[in-house]
Amino acid sequence: MDSLIAASARALAAGDALGALKRVALRDDPPALALRGIAMAQLGDHPRARELLRRAARGFGGHEELARARCVVAEAEVALAMRDLGGSPRALTAAAATLEARADRANALQAWLIAARRLLLLGRLDEAAAALAKLDAQALPPSLVAMAELTSAELSLRSLQTEVARAALDRAQAAAARAGVPALSAEVTEARRALDRPAARRLSADGEQALRLEEVAALLESDALVVDACRRGIRAGGSWQALTRRPVLFALALALAEAWPGDVDRETLIECAFHMSRPDETHRARLRVEIGRLRSLVGGFAQIEASARGFVLKPHKDRTVVVLAPPIDGEQASLVALLSDGAAWSTSALSLALGASQRTVQRALAELEAAGRVRSIGRARAQRWVAPPLAGFTTILLLPAALPIE
Amino acid sequence: MSSNVNKPSSRPVTTRAAQVVREYGPFGGTERVGGVTYDGRRVWAATGAKLVAFDPASGEPMDSLDVACDAGTAFDGTYLYQIAEARIDKIDPATGKVVASIPAPGNGGDSGLTWAEGSLWVGQYRDRKIHQVDPQTGAVIRSIESNRFVTGVTWVDGELWHGTWEGDDSELRRIDPADGTVLECLEMPPGVNVSGLESDGADLFYCGGGGSGKVRAVRRPRRAAA
């Protein structure tokens, strides 16, 4: 490490990105490129930062493996902040292995954390959880602890484990305070706000009520029979019957639940399940068949009885029936609600779940994407859709941990 | 001026493991050491924004000066010389005052500094060079080329030694001051870096430990006949 590099790194560590840049602005040797890249990332010019870090990594080459691995990690983090998830994770994995082998624990763990966050953004939740588990019980620096806890909070929120998420956020907040990074503390505060935003509506005979994520979880845990229009399924007494692949049955269940404790006439059921406004005898026969299918699926927690004009839902054990709906009405809201599980969905799976045509779903997704409310990964048949993270945590760069460039 | 860098040496190079006899530091709150020197009583270490001095016998801190100190450090018997950014500051060790500055020959790519025979010797890190510099003007008198990154320079008993740090490995090397030929190597243990080198005038080298924030004492090998 030479004198200007040392001075520049010192400025960067003190938060003076411009001062750091000034000292190495005209130099193109790999350590200078790396420092310029990190300074540019902190100034928010991600594409330039990425280019500089790439050139630095190339410049270090094979014989300065440690420095190169640190550049690869920094570059991966910048790519993550740009939401550029297209690249292969192989370079990052290799860099993590190098750092681990060379006893640079802090940066190796940061590399694993970046890998976990990337998987989370890709909607590969199981793999993300597995990557995150590698970080458990490790002695991490506080800024990495904060980031790891934010990531695990995000994972818990996706599966509606709000208590677990809240505990993770508490730990994230404490760690962010210890790290003394204000942006990180702000990020945790913002993530907490996600817990207080309305996540769904509860529709019942008494009317409509906005629910926070926590209340949604409580409702699903309760004894009520919940027809969940967000996740497309029925929950009662701790068991879950997914109907994402059975849109007709879900439409019937929803209609019956909305009318509960009353009954629904056949014409209405046929219209909402088959989209037929002038039913004939064949539709009535088909309705009988579909009701029969639904009856056997929900047999564990409710009966569906025939009434004089149609059908009525009769839950076991005097359970109340509640409908959980997305916070606002409409196709887009339903899509966002489905994607809020954080997993990666294909267009065809979404259209199947919603019982809408692929064209309709595609149109709605395109509008949502333009509004920044969903993201797509991959192309053509491999294209998948994911919701953006509840907490915007991935924009925070912890790059200085990728220093020192020695 | 000479540049027989990579020519195969006719003389066999003695290579052995460096014997680290003692470690000092890290020195409270500092994370790296970029240069070391010895004034006969105290060892000075450059830690970025502070030059710290400690007693090599006890390891106890003795002094500190708030000056910019990014890389090599040297002592001419009266003044300290310190590389900061792209210049070399001449510092009064009693007051910490910078009494003069000259441009560093590597224009900021400098690492490693020592005083010998009326000249300053400056390592130019990634350019793998050692410059002999006029301490009054900063003019380069001559340059020696190495084939490794230079991270520290020192003279002892007419021997020119420099620290290397490349490919994550560090060595102390004795080179022929005439043509840069490597005469002798001391390999530092894996993962132990040298940034800054100074002889105590007897049989020890003080080595800056880079990001470890430590200073290490390494035994200078005794030679029957060189």
Side-chain angles (χ1 to χ4, degrees):
Chain A
M1 185 137 163
D2 64 43
S3 49
L4 266 186
I5 294 291
S8 176
R10 190 147 52 82
L12 199 57
D16 178 10
L18 284 173
L21 215 47
K22 187 183 78 189
R23 288 174 172 85
V24 291
L26 299 175
R27 285 177 51 171
D28 275 339
D29 53 298
L33 287 171
L35 278 167
R36 285 168 59 193
I38 288 167
M40 289 313 277
Q42 292 189 342
L43 293 172
D45 187 346
H46 295 152
R48 180 83 183 124
R50 205 173 172 199
E51 167 63 22
L52 288 163
L53 287 165
R54 247 184 216 164
R55 280 171 60 198
R58 265 203 306 276
F60 279 126
H63 82 299
E64 289 175 272
E65 229 181 326
L66 196 56
R68 179 169 66 170
R70 288 171 181 153
C71 287
V72 169
V73 173
E75 191 204 317
E77 184 155 30
V78 174
L80 197 65
M82 292 168 73
R83 302 294 197 268
D84 180 351
L85 309 168
S88 151
R90 216 174 304 143
L92 181 60
T93 315
T98 301
L99 291 164
E100 209 145 81
R102 304 253 175 179
D104 183 351
R105 295 287 295 150
N107 284 317
L109 292 169
Q110 181 161 5
W112 293 124
L113 183 54
I114 291 169
R117 289 156 70 202
R118 184 176 176 277
L119 288 165
L120 180 62
L121 282 179
L122 284 169
R124 286 151 64 177
L125 304 182
D126 292 348
E127 289 169 77
L132 212 48
K134 277 194 190 179
L135 299 176
D136 272 357
Q138 302 274 6
L140 297 169
S143 55
L144 287 194
V145 173
M147 196 64 94
E149 294 293 358
L150 266 174
T151 311
S152 95
E154 178 80 25
L155 271 171
S156 308
L157 285 178
R158 295 307 192 179
S159 50
L160 284 179
Q161 295 172 285
T162 51
E163 280 311 306
V164 181
R166 209 174 267 280
L169 285 174
D170 286 342
R171 290 192 296 270
Q173 190 148 49
R178 257 184 298 140
V181 181
L184 205 49
S185 298
E187 201 82 13
V188 180
T189 310
E190 179 55 35
R192 270 180 192 287
R193 247 173 241 149
L195 282 169
D196 295 328
R197 266 181 230 128
R201 286 173 302 154
R202 173 197 172 128
L203 311 178
S204 62
D206 322 330
E208 188 178 308
Q209 183 195 350
L211 298 185
R212 291 177 296 135
L213 213 46
E214 222 154 5
E215 293 165 329
V216 171
L219 178 61
L220 293 178
E221 289 301 301
S222 76
D223 197 44
L225 186 146
V226 181
V227 175
D228 184 346
C230 299
R231 278 149 286 268
R232 303 269 148 166
I234 301 174
R235 189 181 295 270
S239 58
W240 169 250
Q241 176 62 56
L243 292 174
T244 41
R245 306 183 70 84
R246 313 290 291 271
V248 170
L249 299 191
F250 181 76
L252 291 173
L254 188 61
L256 289 169
E258 278 172 345
W260 184 86
D263 62 350
V264 188
D265 63 82
R266 287 182 185 80
E267 284 67 30
T268 310
L269 285 173
I270 286 167
E271 178 165 6
C272 70
F274 312 139
H275 310 290
M276 293 289 169
S277 51
R278 303 179 65 186
D280 59 24
E281 227 11 74
T282 61
H283 295 123
R284 284 170 210 278
R286 193 171 153 211
L287 177 64
R288 271 196 300 281
V289 173
E290 297 292 358
I291 288 284
R293 286 182 177 145
L294 183 60
R295 195 176 268 144
S296 71
L297 279 180
V298 304
F301 26 84
Q303 277 177 303
I304 299 171
E305 290 174 3
S307 67
R309 57 192 194 116
F311 295 93
V312 63
L313 188 63
K314 296 263 178 176
H316 296 166
K317 301 189 199 161
D318 295 327
R319 284 192 172 109
T320 41
V321 175
V322 175
V323 173
L324 200 59
I328 48 169
D329 276 321
E331 216 123 54
Q332 294 191 347
S334 305
L335 276 172
V336 171
L338 271 179
L339 290 169
S340 72
D341 70 353
W345 290 72
S346 65
T347 311
S348 58
L350 287 169
S351 84
L352 192 57
L354 292 179
S357 77
Q358 288 214 28
R359 287 284 293 274
T360 308
V361 168
Q362 248 151 10
R363 208 165 22 240
L365 283 170
E367 282 163 23
L368 284 169
E369 190 177 32
R373 299 190 54 203
V374 303
R375 287 177 307 108
S376 71
I377 308 153
R379 302 242 157 138
R381 286 165 61 92
Q383 189 177 38
R384 294 289 181 275
W385 297 89
V386 290
L390 293 170
F393 68 91
T394 45
T395 50
I396 294 276
L397 290 167
L398 293 179
L399 291 172
L403 284 168
I405 310 285
E406 284 167 334
Chain B
M1 208 158 306
S2 175
S3 60
N4 302 323
V5 186
N6 291 315
K7 75 160 195 203
S9 171
S10 50
R11 281 171 284 189
V13 180
T14 329
T15 300
R16 61 190 115 181
Q19 208 186 332
V20 179
V21 294
R22 185 158 180 191
E23 289 194 344
Y24 305 95
F27 309 97
T30 56
E31 283 169 4
R32 57 180 50 253
V33 172
V36 280
T37 196
Y38 179 61
D39 66 9
R41 195 164 61 89
R42 298 165 292 185
V43 175
W44 292 87
T47 65
K50 199 174 269 221
L51 263 172
V52 295
F54 62 88
D55 176 0
S58 67
E60 289 301 312
M62 295 177 75
D63 223 334
S64 81
L65 301 175
D66 288 323
V67 292
C69 43
D70 299 310
T73 316
F75 184 70
D76 69 357
T78 311
Y79 293 102
L80 290 167
Y81 292 84
Q82 176 60 52
I83 303 178
E85 302 203 4
R87 59 179 199 274
I88 300 173
D89 291 334
K90 184 176 179 182
I91 298 163
D92 180 347
T95 62
K97 237 184 161 149
V98 177
V99 296
S101 286
I102 54 172
N107 196 25
D110 309 270
S111 172
L113 185 67
T114 197
W115 172 274
E117 301 170 32
S119 295
L120 284 170
W121 301 74
V122 190
Q124 195 176 342
Y125 182 45
R126 292 187 78 87
D127 298 283
R128 307 179 171 103
K129 284 180 183 156
I130 297 168
H131 304 289
Q132 183 184 358
V133 168
D134 179 332
Q136 259 73 50
T137 64
V140 176
I141 299 165
R142 68 181 184 114
S143 299
I144 304 164
E145 296 202 8
S146 171
N147 59 359
R148 291 291 182 95
F149 294 163
V150 178
T151 62
V153 197
T154 196
W155 280 92
V156 55
D157 293 345
E159 299 174 352
L160 177 59
W161 287 80
H162 79 87
T164 72
W165 180 352
E166 192 162 341
D168 310 326
D169 298 318
S170 266
E171 292 174 355
L172 304 185
R173 295 173 150 201
R174 181 163 67 91
I175 60 171
D176 185 333
D179 59 10
T181 310
V182 182
L183 305 175
E184 192 173 355
C185 277
L186 301 180
E187 287 176 345
M188 295 298 277
V192 172
N193 300 316
V194 176
S195 64
L197 180 66
E198 182 70 293
S199 146
D200 71 345
D203 58 358
L204 284 183
F205 289 117
Y206 296 112
C207 304
S212 72
K214 293 179 181 173
V215 171
R216 297 186 176 88
V218 171
R219 191 170 301 285
R220 179 158 71 105
R222 295 188 182 284
R223 233 170 283 78

